[in-house]
Amino acid sequence: MNKAWLFHGTGEPLELVDRPDPTPSPRQVVIDVRAAGLCHSDIGIIDGPGAGWITQRPIVLGHEVAGVVRCLGPDVDGVRVGDRVAVAVPAQPVIRGWTWPTNIPGWGETAAMTIAR
């Protein structure tokens, strides 16, 4: 299982939960997170001013991670299992009819594993 901190809403505590391990789609990798950054946008969401950006709740916030590639989708090249990587992983759906490139809602830096493309 994948430990993750869920954001439910402004003024509510984050909730530590067990989530199923992510499975990569054909052009994605799963990363075992070893280090994570806390971005100003995460703070803005937790404190309130940025909470309107998030269209899906509860959600695992975050997008700045470093770690080790755990597994690959079948169409991935240029990276191997065991490679150390650092990526920006925008994963949350946002307003205005668009989503961040990975389009994987609910996996972020406050989880033990995340998805990247």
Side-chain angles (χ1 to χ4, degrees), residues 1 7 20 35 40 54 61 70 75 95 107-108:
M1 292 302 277
F7 169 76
H40 71 283
I54 304 300
L61 298 173
R70 171 185 282 254
D75 296 339
I95 59 173
W107 296 104

Side-chain angles (χ1 to χ4, degrees), residues 5 31-39 42 60-68 85-89 108-114:
W5 289 97
I31 300 168
D32 286 329
V33 176
R34 299 288 186 249
L38 186 62
C39 180
D42 298 319
V60 179
L61 298 173
H63 58 269
E64 298 172 352
V65 300
V68 177
V85 294
V87 294
V89 186
E109 72 192 21
T110 52
M113 286 178 263
T114 194

Side-chain angles (χ1 to χ4, degrees), residues 32-103:
D32 286 329
V33 176
R34 299 288 186 249
L38 186 62
C39 180
H40 71 283
S41 61
D42 298 319
I43 299 298
I45 291 165
I46 292 168
D47 286 346
W53 302 337
I54 304 300
T55 60
Q56 174 185 323
R57 293 184 194 169
I59 191 167
V60 179
L61 298 173
H63 58 269
E64 298 172 352
V65 300
V68 177
V69 175
R70 171 185 282 254
C71 62
L72 310 170
D75 296 339
V76 172
D77 58 16
V79 65
R80 296 177 301 182
V81 170
D83 281 355
R84 292 181 287 178
V85 294
V87 294
V89 186
Q92 55 264 23
V94 295
I95 59 173
R96 297 189 192 101
W98 51 272
T99 58
W100 293 105
T102 58
N103 198 22

